[in-house]
Amino acid sequence: QKEVEQDPGPLSVPEGAIVSLNCTYSNSAFQYFMWYRQYSRKGPELLMYTYSSGNKEDGRFTAQVDKSSKYISLFIRDSQPSDSATYLCAMSASGGGADGLTFGKGTHLIIQP
Amino acid sequence: DSGVTQTPKHLITATGQRVTLRCSPRSGDLSVYWYQQSLDQGLQFLIQYYNGEERAKGNILERFSAQQFPDLHSELNLSSLELGDSALYFCASTAGLWDGYTFGSGTRLTVV
């Protein structure tokens, strides 16, 4: 079993829909959780990060962490075609990612105009 | 532009050869991380340097090495290259406090 599991998709939704992206993990030491967005042929871009369990909202994006279930989610409201990209979850046991981040393989999201 | 500069953008080389990838971190960032991204493995952490010193190692092969220079730029050296080393290699930097990584645009390595 991989440390971080993420459905590769593709996930195709119409413009304006609410998108739900998820990751599960097995390492209970993970405390820092991140979501990155990666456009084709570009480096990942940090969208959200949270510490421990709970919710965090930033504009159209909401990140949720449920450590008891080892499950994290990213919600995108009012999705736009420009949101079409690969979304990567990432996790770390230490602050600052000093031991490196463990990434999911990414979910390819397509927003249909 | 993320502020993290990686060169070259593309590299094609033959098996058995050695290459050097270069990374200039965002201004003020002391930590540099190297990651490898392949289709089957996803993004894998290779190694971290902080202010010139190695801080953490991930899944880095013995054929690979890195260093960070006094001006804080970093180089990743890949030797005895194999077909399976073909991948995107990303550099990321942070200021040292947890503010998330800033990734460069990567170097696409193709080993033929």
Side-chain angles (χ1 to χ4, degrees), chain A residues 2 32 34 36 38 41-46 49 88 95-105, chain B residues 10 33 35 37 39-45 48 55-56 88 90 98-101 103-105 108:
Chain A
K2 287 187 71 67
Y32 298 83
M34 287 129 274
Y36 284 83
Q38 186 175 22
R41 301 185 182 278
K42 298 290 186 183
E45 170 194 10
L46 180 66
Y49 74 90
L88 302 151
D99 53 353
L101 297 180
T102 301
F103 281 85
K105 286 192 176 182
Chain B
H10 304 278
Y33 300 77
Y35 282 79
Q37 187 176 38
L39 281 176
D40 56 340
Q41 295 294 323
L43 263 169
Q44 298 279 309
F45 169 60
Q48 182 213 359
R55 277 291 180 91
L88 267 168
F90 286 105
W98 180 239
D99 61 350
Y101 292 175
F103 279 86
S105 294
R108 182 174 295 277

Side-chain angles (χ1 to χ4, degrees), chain A residues 97-100, chain B residues 30-34 45-62 64-69 72-77:
Chain A
D99 53 353
Chain B
L30 300 179
S31 283
V32 170
Y33 300 77
W34 286 97
F45 169 60
L46 296 178
I47 197 165
Q48 182 213 359
Y49 278 81
Y50 176 81
N51 203 21
E53 293 189 5
E54 180 185 305
R55 277 291 180 91
K57 266 187 174 180
N59 299 319
I60 188 166
L61 299 172
E62 285 192 11
F64 296 0
S65 65
Q67 56 186 133
Q68 186 178 27
F69 295 86
L72 300 178
H73 91 271
S74 178
E75 293 181 356
L76 179 67
N77 300 296

Side-chain angles (χ1 to χ4, degrees), chain B residues 18-33:
Chain B
R18 171 189 168 97
V19 297
T20 298
L21 313 183
R22 181 187 170 104
C23 169
S24 293
R26 201 176 48 169
S27 177
D29 286 358
L30 300 179
S31 283
V32 170
Y33 300 77

